[in-house]
Amino acid sequence: MDVLRPPLVRIGGRVYRKNIIQEQAVAHEDEEDFCAGPGDCADEPCDAFVVEETERGFQCRVEVPSPLYKYIIGKKGETKKRLETETRTSISIPKPGVEGEIVITGQHRSGVISARTRIDVLLDSFRKKQPFTHFLSFALNQPAIQERFLQFKEEVLEKCSKDHGVSSSLFQNPAKLHLTLGTLVLLNEQEIQKACDLLQRCKEDFVDQITGGQPLTVEVAGVEYMNDDPAMTDVLYAKVHMKDGSDRLQMVADQLVERFVASGLMLKEWDRVKLHATVMNTLFRKDPTEERNNTMTGKSSFKERESFNGQNILKLFENFHFGEVQLDSVRLSQRFSSDASGYYATSGQL
C-alpha cells in the first residue's frame, strides 16, 4: 500500500483518510463455508416474509439469483447441511444456472423462520462482495461534447505530456462519457426488471415534477481532481452544472439514489451524489480495455495505480468548456457493454 495515497472516506460532509489493513487472501472465496450462528438470528416469527402451513408442517420460499446458490450450499455442501441440521429443516435449491426459488420446509415454524433468516444473512453478506453489474447514468456522449473532449485530450498531450505519468491511455473513451448516479448489483433478469420498473415509478413520482417534463440543459466546464494532492492525481473529472443555476439536476440524482437505496437495489455510499464526468483515470492505464466507468467504486488496489501530476493540467484547463448538453433520460446502463453508438448497452431508461 502507498501510504501517501490512502483512500478517502466522506462522512457527514467531512473527508477522512482510511488506513488499509492488509488481509491474507482466502482460498476458495467463492465457496466460502460461512454460516450465521444460532445467536445471530432470531427464531421468533417474522413479518418480513411469508411462512405457509402445509400438510407436513411449514414452508417458506425465497427468490434467490442463481449466482448466489453456491453461498447457500457452501464448500462440499457443508453450509447447507449445517443450516438444515441446526434448524431441523430441509432446504431445496434449484440446479446451478436455473433461476427459481429456494424452498425451506420443516415441522416447526420457528425452525423454518430461523433457516430463512440465516439464509438472508448469508445472501446479504455475499451480495455485498459482488462487483456491480449496472449503473444509473446520464449520457454525455453527444457529438459536440465528444469533439471538445478530443480537443481537450489533444491539447493536454501537446502541453503536458512531459509531466509525470501523463499518457494517452489515461483518457476516457469519448463515446462513453457519462455521469454515474449510483451502481447496482443485478444478478438475473428479474432483478433487472425490478430496477426498470422502479425507474419508471420514479419518473411518475418526482422526476417529471422536478424537470417539468423537459430536458435539463447543463454545462460541462472546468476540470477538478478527486484526491487531495494534484501532484499525485488518480482521477480528473469535468464539472457539470445546470445552465440556469438551479439545483434540479442534483435533486433528480439525489432522489433517484434515495429511492433505489430504499428499495434495496443500491447501497448508500454518499450523502449526496457527486456530479462529475471522468475524463482521465489511472485505472485505465492498467488495462486499456478495462471498462471506464464509475471512479468512486473501483476495486483495484492503490498499489496497482500509477498517479500522474495534474498540476499543469488543472492550471491550463481550469475553465475548459466542453459544451452544453440536453439531458433527457436516465439510463440503467450495463457494465462491460457497448451499444451501436459506442455507449453502454441500456437495460432500461426514463
Side-chain angles (χ1 to χ4, degrees):
M1 178 189 75
D2 188 341
V3 296
L4 297 178
R5 295 183 292 130
L8 302 178
V9 179
R10 290 172 171 78
I11 302 175
R14 295 176 179 271
V15 181
Y16 299 87
R17 290 182 175 87
K18 178 181 178 182
N19 294 324
I20 297 178
I21 299 175
Q22 298 291 341
E23 297 180 352
Q24 293 183 347
V26 179
H28 307 294
E29 180 180 353
D30 286 347
E31 298 181 345
E32 184 174 344
D33 186 14
F34 170 86
C35 183
D40 295 331
C41 307
D43 288 340
E44 292 84 13
C46 178
D47 294 332
F49 41 81
V50 177
V51 177
E52 302 173 333
E53 187 169 4
T54 66
E55 295 180 355
R56 297 184 178 181
F58 296 88
Q59 177 178 277
C60 182
R61 296 174 177 272
V62 53
E63 291 186 2
V64 179
S66 59
L68 298 181
Y69 292 165
K70 58 187 177 183
Y71 301 121
I72 308 302
I73 297 170
K75 188 176 181 180
K76 298 181 180 180
E78 292 176 1
T79 300
K80 177 175 176 290
K81 292 175 184 176
R82 186 184 303 163
L83 282 169
E84 291 176 323
T85 300
E86 294 182 353
T87 61
R88 297 182 180 180
T89 59
S90 175
I91 302 173
S92 175
I93 301 175
K95 294 180 179 179
V98 177
E99 297 297 338
E101 296 177 317
I102 289 179
V103 181
I104 308 164
T105 57
Q107 295 183 352
H108 302 285
R109 181 185 179 88
S110 61
V112 172
I113 290 174
S114 180
R116 168 60 191 269
T117 304
R118 297 181 192 194
I119 285 175
D120 284 347
V121 171
L122 280 168
L123 294 177
D124 182 65
S125 172
F126 287 108
R127 179 179 281 275
K128 290 177 180 177
K129 295 182 179 181
Q130 305 301 310
F132 72 89
T133 60
H134 295 73
F135 57 101
L136 296 181
S137 73
F138 281 110
L140 297 177
N141 64 343
Q142 290 75 3
I145 299 292
Q146 289 196 49
E147 183 177 347
R148 288 290 290 167
F149 170 78
L150 290 174
Q151 182 180 341
F152 167 78
K153 176 180 178 180
E154 181 180 348
E155 292 184 14
V156 168
L157 292 176
E158 178 183 339
K159 299 175 182 179
C160 307
S161 60
K162 294 183 179 180
D163 294 346
H164 175 75
V166 174
S167 73
S168 61
S169 67
L170 299 179
F171 291 84
Q172 174 67 283
N173 177 347
K176 292 192 171 182
L177 287 166
H178 67 280
L179 297 178
T180 296
L181 306 186
T183 60
L184 306 94
V185 176
L186 306 176
L187 299 177
N188 59 20
E189 290 300 323
Q190 290 84 351
E191 293 188 345
I192 294 173
Q193 188 58 53
K194 182 179 177 182
C196 291
D197 293 343
L198 179 57
L199 201 54
Q200 291 304 314
R201 290 199 298 274
C202 289
K203 173 180 170 64
E204 299 166 2
D205 292 348
F206 61 85
V207 173
D208 283 345
Q209 180 179 353
I210 294 173
T211 64
Q214 299 297 318
L216 298 176
T217 303
V218 303
E219 285 187 328
V220 185
V223 293
E224 190 56 86
Y225 61 105
M226 279 286 188
N227 53 304
D228 57 358
D229 184 358
M232 300 183 69
T233 299
D234 282 317
V235 176
L236 192 79
Y237 64 90
K239 295 182 284 187
V240 180
H241 62 271
M242 288 288 298
K243 186 177 181 181
D244 62 10
S246 72
D247 63 350
R248 289 185 296 159
L249 177 59
Q250 188 71 56
M251 289 173 62
V252 169
D254 289 342
Q255 291 189 38
L256 278 170
V257 169
E258 182 179 343
R259 186 66 65 89
F260 270 78
V261 169
S263 74
L265 289 171
M266 187 181 291
L267 294 177
K268 186 176 181 62
E269 296 182 90
W270 316 95
D271 291 334
R272 301 185 75 197
V273 175
K274 186 175 181 64
L275 296 172
H276 70 286
T278 298
V279 293
M280 298 174 71
N281 190 334
T282 55
L283 285 178
F284 303 163
R285 189 204 309 279
K286 176 185 170 187
D287 180 358
T289 65
E290 185 168 341
E291 180 202 18
R292 300 174 174 193
N293 199 359
N294 184 15
T295 62
M296 293 183 291
T297 56
K299 299 297 183 181
S300 297
S301 66
F302 277 75
K303 67 181 181 180
E304 296 174 329
R305 304 176 72 163
E306 179 193 348
S307 296
F308 65 94
N309 187 341
Q311 290 175 308
N312 285 331
I313 298 175
L314 289 163
K315 183 184 303 182
L316 295 172
F317 300 92
E318 179 182 8
N319 298 311
F320 188 91
H321 192 262
F322 292 89
E324 294 181 9
V325 60
Q326 301 282 323
L327 300 182
D328 56 5
S329 67
V330 179
R331 309 187 188 195
L332 178 62
S333 300
Q334 182 180 338
R335 194 181 187 189
F336 301 127
S337 68
S338 297
D339 61 15
S341 72
Y343 193 68
Y344 301 95
T346 301
S347 299
Q349 67 183 56
L350 63 80

